[in-house]
Amino acid sequence: MTLTELLALATNYMESQSMGNDELLSPIPDFFVHQSKKPTQLNACFYHPIACIILQGSKEAIVGDEKISYRAGMSLIASHSVPAFSRIVEASEEAPYIGLAICLDLSILRSLQREIGELDILNKEFKPLSTAQSSHELIDAMGRYFSLVGKPLEMKVMGPLILKEIHFLLLKSSNGNMLRHLTGQDSHVSKVAQAIEQIRQNFKTTLSIPDLAKNIGMSTSSFYEHFKQVTKSTPLQYQKELRLIEAQRLIREENTSVSAAAFEVGYESPTQFSREYSRKFGNTPRQELAVLT
């Protein structure tokens, strides 16, 4: 399947679903179709371990002080859950932004690593988000996987095989370097992933860096260094990003009061929360609520 054919498949699916201006659908578990008919503002978000292919339009992400731009025909691999800013750059009614994304399964990646052995294409570059031109093989595999929508028997039999193929193609792709590091359970990249999961599960509580480093089998100094290499932030900054983005969701989606949102995500001082919220998003929490009401 070519990129043009995959775009037609996605367009037909979205038309059948009567998608609006900005929609994200999941026709298969852990597989997403995103359409936007207009550019978007730069928004704070978290990129989770995922692989995306843009079929039409373009997008950009900012992680730390690095800007990553990618457009139709390109793929992005996010190896870790990292805080970022992102926006859709090119999109219109006539030519909407259209992208496909699939969640990465570390167990599949590690089983592949055991089958194929160590890949001799590792390098020292640590980028949690990396882009490249998509191979014809990857586009074809994503298309065949998408084609299983509405075919439960084919999905049951063929789905796991194609999913494994997609992970294999990502693992050996030119932008799959961090995935190759990640498959080593004792690698620093893999240990940072363990730490990220622990922070995400306990982001509302006080974070002890020495304890976290000990839990994943690293010295405090080594953990701090490698965490920043991978995520482009310190562990405490990472926790703060989690808290603020969750607080924004509570305010925007659940109309939660400022003080309640602050305490819900682990802040003891609403004043400190408001100060850090406005520094992150440009508006105070109260201004955010005022817009909603």
Side-chain angles (χ1 to χ4, degrees), residues 215-244:
N215 288 342
I216 61 171
M218 295 178 72
S219 69
T220 301
S221 59
S222 178
F223 166 63
Y224 190 91
E225 176 188 352
H226 287 93
F227 190 95
K228 193 164 187 179
Q229 275 187 332
V230 171
T231 68
K232 312 306 177 187
S233 67
T234 67
L236 289 174
Q237 288 170 336
Y238 187 95
Q239 182 189 47
K240 184 190 295 184
E241 295 282 351
L242 281 171
R243 288 178 168 183
L244 292 173

mmCIF file of all heavy atoms in Angstrom, residues 215-244:
data_model
loop_
_atom_site.group_PDB
_atom_site.id
_atom_site.type_symbol
_atom_site.label_atom_id
_atom_site.label_comp_id
_atom_site.label_asym_id
_atom_site.label_seq_id
_atom_site.Cartn_x
_atom_site.Cartn_y
_atom_site.Cartn_z
ATOM 1 N N ASN A 215 15.692 2.704 43.578
ATOM 2 C CA ASN A 215 14.689 1.742 43.110
ATOM 3 C C ASN A 215 15.004 1.178 41.735
ATOM 4 O O ASN A 215 14.636 0.034 41.423
ATOM 5 C CB ASN A 215 13.306 2.396 43.079
ATOM 6 C CG ASN A 215 12.735 2.634 44.462
ATOM 7 O OD1 ASN A 215 13.195 2.038 45.442
ATOM 8 N ND2 ASN A 215 11.746 3.507 44.557
ATOM 9 N N ILE A 216 15.648 1.981 40.890
ATOM 10 C CA ILE A 216 15.942 1.508 39.536
ATOM 11 C C ILE A 216 17.395 1.067 39.378
ATOM 12 O O ILE A 216 17.839 0.761 38.271
ATOM 13 C CB ILE A 216 15.606 2.589 38.479
ATOM 14 C CG1 ILE A 216 16.435 3.854 38.699
ATOM 15 C CG2 ILE A 216 14.119 2.909 38.503
ATOM 16 C CD1 ILE A 216 16.313 4.863 37.580
ATOM 17 N N GLY A 217 18.145 1.068 40.484
ATOM 18 C CA GLY A 217 19.505 0.545 40.461
ATOM 19 C C GLY A 217 20.540 1.476 39.875
ATOM 20 O O GLY A 217 21.472 1.031 39.192
ATOM 21 N N MET A 218 20.410 2.780 40.169
ATOM 22 C CA MET A 218 21.381 3.753 39.682
ATOM 23 C C MET A 218 21.817 4.649 40.834
ATOM 24 O O MET A 218 21.075 4.823 41.809
ATOM 25 C CB MET A 218 20.790 4.623 38.552
ATOM 26 C CG MET A 218 20.445 3.866 37.293
ATOM 27 S SD MET A 218 19.685 4.937 36.025
ATOM 28 C CE MET A 218 21.133 5.885 35.525
ATOM 29 N N SER A 219 23.008 5.224 40.703
ATOM 30 C CA SER A 219 23.419 6.230 41.672
ATOM 31 C C SER A 219 22.609 7.499 41.422
ATOM 32 O O SER A 219 22.093 7.714 40.317
ATOM 33 C CB SER A 219 24.914 6.536 41.530
ATOM 34 O OG SER A 219 25.168 7.216 40.309
ATOM 35 N N THR A 220 22.507 8.346 42.435
ATOM 36 C CA THR A 220 21.723 9.569 42.288
ATOM 37 C C THR A 220 22.267 10.459 41.180
ATOM 38 O O THR A 220 21.505 10.981 40.352
ATOM 39 C CB THR A 220 21.706 10.353 43.620
ATOM 40 O OG1 THR A 220 21.135 9.528 44.646
ATOM 41 C CG2 THR A 220 20.883 11.623 43.486
ATOM 42 N N SER A 221 23.586 10.628 41.127
ATOM 43 C CA SER A 221 24.182 11.509 40.117
ATOM 44 C C SER A 221 24.007 10.955 38.705
ATOM 45 O O SER A 221 23.687 11.691 37.769
ATOM 46 C CB SER A 221 25.662 11.725 40.411
ATOM 47 O OG SER A 221 26.353 10.486 40.421
ATOM 48 N N SER A 222 24.180 9.641 38.545
ATOM 49 C CA SER A 222 24.025 9.016 37.234
ATOM 50 C C SER A 222 22.565 9.076 36.778
ATOM 51 O O SER A 222 22.276 9.350 35.611
ATOM 52 C CB SER A 222 24.489 7.566 37.281
ATOM 53 O OG SER A 222 24.308 6.926 36.031
ATOM 54 N N PHE A 223 21.651 8.827 37.707
ATOM 55 C CA PHE A 223 20.221 8.890 37.383
ATOM 56 C C PHE A 223 19.834 10.283 36.916
ATOM 57 O O PHE A 223 19.160 10.453 35.901
ATOM 58 C CB PHE A 223 19.391 8.497 38.602
ATOM 59 C CG PHE A 223 17.934 8.836 38.474
ATOM 60 C CD1 PHE A 223 17.152 8.255 37.494
ATOM 61 C CD2 PHE A 223 17.340 9.758 39.338
ATOM 62 C CE1 PHE A 223 15.805 8.576 37.364
ATOM 63 C CE2 PHE A 223 16.011 10.084 39.221
ATOM 64 C CZ PHE A 223 15.237 9.494 38.229
ATOM 65 N N TYR A 224 20.264 11.289 37.669
ATOM 66 C CA TYR A 224 19.928 12.670 37.324
ATOM 67 C C TYR A 224 20.434 13.015 35.930
ATOM 68 O O TYR A 224 19.725 13.598 35.107
ATOM 69 C CB TYR A 224 20.531 13.613 38.357
ATOM 70 C CG TYR A 224 20.070 15.045 38.243
ATOM 71 C CD1 TYR A 224 18.959 15.504 38.943
ATOM 72 C CD2 TYR A 224 20.755 15.942 37.429
ATOM 73 C CE1 TYR A 224 18.541 16.817 38.841
ATOM 74 C CE2 TYR A 224 20.337 17.257 37.313
ATOM 75 C CZ TYR A 224 19.233 17.696 38.025
ATOM 76 O OH TYR A 224 18.812 18.994 37.908
ATOM 77 N N GLU A 225 21.683 12.615 35.643
ATOM 78 C CA GLU A 225 22.298 12.936 34.341
ATOM 79 C C GLU A 225 21.547 12.263 33.194
ATOM 80 O O GLU A 225 21.222 12.901 32.186
ATOM 81 C CB GLU A 225 23.755 12.479 34.346
ATOM 82 C CG GLU A 225 24.460 12.669 33.008
ATOM 83 C CD GLU A 225 25.843 12.033 32.991
ATOM 84 O OE1 GLU A 225 26.313 11.581 34.060
ATOM 85 O OE2 GLU A 225 26.443 11.988 31.902
ATOM 86 N N HIS A 226 21.268 10.970 33.337
ATOM 87 C CA HIS A 226 20.624 10.238 32.249
ATOM 88 C C HIS A 226 19.149 10.604 32.108
ATOM 89 O O HIS A 226 18.616 10.608 30.988
ATOM 90 C CB HIS A 226 20.795 8.737 32.453
ATOM 91 C CG HIS A 226 22.182 8.253 32.174
ATOM 92 N ND1 HIS A 226 23.144 8.138 33.151
ATOM 93 C CD2 HIS A 226 22.783 7.899 31.015
ATOM 94 C CE1 HIS A 226 24.275 7.706 32.615
ATOM 95 N NE2 HIS A 226 24.092 7.558 31.325
ATOM 96 N N PHE A 227 18.500 10.917 33.213
ATOM 97 C CA PHE A 227 17.103 11.338 33.130
ATOM 98 C C PHE A 227 16.996 12.611 32.296
ATOM 99 O O PHE A 227 16.112 12.745 31.438
ATOM 100 C CB PHE A 227 16.533 11.569 34.536
ATOM 101 C CG PHE A 227 15.039 11.766 34.559
ATOM 102 C CD1 PHE A 227 14.192 10.692 34.809
ATOM 103 C CD2 PHE A 227 14.462 13.010 34.329
ATOM 104 C CE1 PHE A 227 12.804 10.859 34.825
ATOM 105 C CE2 PHE A 227 13.089 13.191 34.344
ATOM 106 C CZ PHE A 227 12.262 12.106 34.600
ATOM 107 N N LYS A 228 17.896 13.543 32.538
ATOM 108 C CA LYS A 228 17.868 14.802 31.792
ATOM 109 C C LYS A 228 18.245 14.591 30.332
ATOM 110 O O LYS A 228 17.706 15.243 29.438
ATOM 111 C CB LYS A 228 18.782 15.827 32.446
ATOM 112 C CG LYS A 228 18.560 17.236 31.924
ATOM 113 C CD LYS A 228 19.169 18.289 32.828
ATOM 114 C CE LYS A 228 18.773 19.689 32.338
ATOM 115 N NZ LYS A 228 19.329 20.756 33.203
ATOM 116 N N GLN A 229 19.169 13.670 30.061
ATOM 117 C CA GLN A 229 19.531 13.359 28.683
ATOM 118 C C GLN A 229 18.323 12.853 27.896
ATOM 119 O O GLN A 229 18.101 13.250 26.755
ATOM 120 C CB GLN A 229 20.620 12.282 28.646
ATOM 121 C CG GLN A 229 22.040 12.789 28.787
ATOM 122 C CD GLN A 229 23.043 11.666 28.573
ATOM 123 O OE1 GLN A 229 22.759 10.494 28.824
ATOM 124 N NE2 GLN A 229 24.228 12.030 28.118
ATOM 125 N N VAL A 230 17.548 11.985 28.516
ATOM 126 C CA VAL A 230 16.438 11.342 27.817
ATOM 127 C C VAL A 230 15.215 12.246 27.729
ATOM 128 O O VAL A 230 14.591 12.374 26.668
ATOM 129 C CB VAL A 230 16.068 10.012 28.513
ATOM 130 C CG1 VAL A 230 14.770 9.441 27.939
ATOM 131 C CG2 VAL A 230 17.199 9.009 28.357
ATOM 132 N N THR A 231 14.838 12.892 28.824
ATOM 133 C CA THR A 231 13.572 13.632 28.878
ATOM 134 C C THR A 231 13.721 15.119 28.619
ATOM 135 O O THR A 231 12.732 15.822 28.443
ATOM 136 C CB THR A 231 12.898 13.459 30.247
ATOM 137 O OG1 THR A 231 13.691 14.113 31.251
ATOM 138 C CG2 THR A 231 12.725 11.988 30.602
ATOM 139 N N LYS A 232 14.962 15.606 28.620
ATOM 140 C CA LYS A 232 15.244 17.041 28.473
ATOM 141 C C LYS A 232 14.696 17.855 29.646
ATOM 142 O O LYS A 232 14.457 19.058 29.528
ATOM 143 C CB LYS A 232 14.692 17.596 27.143
ATOM 144 C CG LYS A 232 15.043 16.766 25.920
ATOM 145 C CD LYS A 232 16.535 16.530 25.792
ATOM 146 C CE LYS A 232 16.877 15.645 24.608
ATOM 147 N NZ LYS A 232 18.296 15.266 24.559
ATOM 148 N N SER A 233 14.481 17.206 30.780
ATOM 149 C CA SER A 233 14.047 17.901 31.998
ATOM 150 C C SER A 233 14.580 17.141 33.203
ATOM 151 O O SER A 233 14.998 15.988 33.093
ATOM 152 C CB SER A 233 12.517 17.980 32.070
ATOM 153 O OG SER A 233 11.940 16.694 32.241
ATOM 154 N N THR A 234 14.588 17.787 34.363
ATOM 155 C CA THR A 234 14.988 17.105 35.588
ATOM 156 C C THR A 234 13.790 16.315 36.131
ATOM 157 O O THR A 234 12.645 16.555 35.729
ATOM 158 C CB THR A 234 15.434 18.123 36.652
ATOM 159 O OG1 THR A 234 14.280 18.890 37.057
ATOM 160 C CG2 THR A 234 16.507 19.054 36.105
ATOM 161 N N PRO A 235 14.019 15.362 37.034
ATOM 162 C CA PRO A 235 12.891 14.621 37.602
ATOM 163 C C PRO A 235 11.849 15.533 38.256
ATOM 164 O O PRO A 235 10.642 15.314 38.098
ATOM 165 C CB PRO A 235 13.555 13.706 38.631
ATOM 166 C CG PRO A 235 14.941 13.510 38.110
ATOM 167 C CD PRO A 235 15.315 14.811 37.486
ATOM 168 N N LEU A 236 12.289 16.565 38.992
ATOM 169 C CA LEU A 236 11.338 17.467 39.642
ATOM 170 C C LEU A 236 10.580 18.308 38.620
ATOM 171 O O LEU A 236 9.372 18.556 38.774
ATOM 172 C CB LEU A 236 12.061 18.362 40.646
ATOM 173 C CG LEU A 236 12.574 17.662 41.913
ATOM 174 C CD1 LEU A 236 13.390 18.622 42.765
ATOM 175 C CD2 LEU A 236 11.406 17.088 42.729
ATOM 176 N N GLN A 237 11.260 18.751 37.556
ATOM 177 C CA GLN A 237 10.564 19.479 36.492
ATOM 178 C C GLN A 237 9.544 18.580 35.810
ATOM 179 O O GLN A 237 8.443 19.028 35.465
ATOM 180 C CB GLN A 237 11.589 19.992 35.466
ATOM 181 C CG GLN A 237 12.438 21.144 35.960
ATOM 182 C CD GLN A 237 13.581 21.453 35.010
ATOM 183 O OE1 GLN A 237 14.032 20.596 34.243
ATOM 184 N NE2 GLN A 237 14.066 22.688 35.047
ATOM 185 N N TYR A 238 9.924 17.326 35.623
ATOM 186 C CA TYR A 238 9.019 16.368 34.985
ATOM 187 C C TYR A 238 7.749 16.187 35.819
ATOM 188 O O TYR A 238 6.635 16.202 35.298
ATOM 189 C CB TYR A 238 9.739 15.028 34.822
ATOM 190 C CG TYR A 238 8.987 13.996 34.020
ATOM 191 C CD1 TYR A 238 9.227 13.841 32.660
ATOM 192 C CD2 TYR A 238 8.044 13.173 34.620
ATOM 193 C CE1 TYR A 238 8.552 12.890 31.922
ATOM 194 C CE2 TYR A 238 7.355 12.227 33.887
ATOM 195 C CZ TYR A 238 7.614 12.084 32.532
ATOM 196 O OH TYR A 238 6.926 11.143 31.808
ATOM 197 N N GLN A 239 7.932 16.026 37.128
ATOM 198 C CA GLN A 239 6.782 15.887 38.022
ATOM 199 C C GLN A 239 5.892 17.129 37.958
ATOM 200 O O GLN A 239 4.659 17.025 37.934
ATOM 201 C CB GLN A 239 7.245 15.652 39.447
ATOM 202 C CG GLN A 239 6.086 15.457 40.434
ATOM 203 C CD GLN A 239 6.563 15.437 41.873
ATOM 204 O OE1 GLN A 239 7.353 16.284 42.283
ATOM 205 N NE2 GLN A 239 6.075 14.476 42.657
ATOM 206 N N LYS A 240 6.529 18.305 37.911
ATOM 207 C CA LYS A 240 5.762 19.542 37.835
ATOM 208 C C LYS A 240 4.934 19.604 36.550
ATOM 209 O O LYS A 240 3.777 20.019 36.564
ATOM 210 C CB LYS A 240 6.695 20.751 37.919
ATOM 211 C CG LYS A 240 5.968 22.091 37.956
ATOM 212 C CD LYS A 240 6.910 23.265 37.783
ATOM 213 C CE LYS A 240 7.885 23.367 38.943
ATOM 214 N NZ LYS A 240 8.752 24.570 38.835
ATOM 215 N N GLU A 241 5.532 19.164 35.437
ATOM 216 C CA GLU A 241 4.811 19.156 34.165
ATOM 217 C C GLU A 241 3.579 18.254 34.263
ATOM 218 O O GLU A 241 2.493 18.609 33.789
ATOM 219 C CB GLU A 241 5.729 18.665 33.047
ATOM 220 C CG GLU A 241 6.914 19.549 32.749
ATOM 221 C CD GLU A 241 6.548 20.768 31.929
ATOM 222 O OE1 GLU A 241 5.404 20.850 31.450
ATOM 223 O OE2 GLU A 241 7.419 21.644 31.763
ATOM 224 N N LEU A 242 3.753 17.083 34.851
ATOM 225 C CA LEU A 242 2.625 16.167 35.032
ATOM 226 C C LEU A 242 1.509 16.823 35.840
ATOM 227 O O LEU A 242 0.331 16.741 35.490
ATOM 228 C CB LEU A 242 3.080 14.892 35.743
ATOM 229 C CG LEU A 242 3.809 13.834 34.919
ATOM 230 C CD1 LEU A 242 4.379 12.764 35.846
ATOM 231 C CD2 LEU A 242 2.867 13.196 33.911
ATOM 232 N N ARG A 243 1.889 17.472 36.931
ATOM 233 C CA ARG A 243 0.900 18.106 37.802
ATOM 234 C C ARG A 243 0.144 19.219 37.077
ATOM 235 O O ARG A 243 -1.092 19.307 37.146
ATOM 236 C CB ARG A 243 1.591 18.673 39.048
ATOM 237 C CG ARG A 243 2.059 17.615 40.030
ATOM 238 C CD ARG A 243 2.775 18.245 41.222
ATOM 239 N NE ARG A 243 2.989 17.268 42.299
ATOM 240 C CZ ARG A 243 3.534 17.560 43.461
ATOM 241 N NH1 ARG A 243 3.952 18.802 43.711
ATOM 242 N NH2 ARG A 243 3.685 16.634 44.389
ATOM 243 N N LEU A 244 0.880 20.055 36.365
ATOM 244 C CA LEU A 244 0.249 21.207 35.721
ATOM 245 C C LEU A 244 -0.657 20.792 34.573
ATOM 246 O O LEU A 244 -1.750 21.347 34.402
ATOM 247 C CB LEU A 244 1.322 22.186 35.229
ATOM 248 C CG LEU A 244 2.100 22.907 36.332
ATOM 249 C CD1 LEU A 244 3.242 23.723 35.740
ATOM 250 C CD2 LEU A 244 1.179 23.807 37.159
#
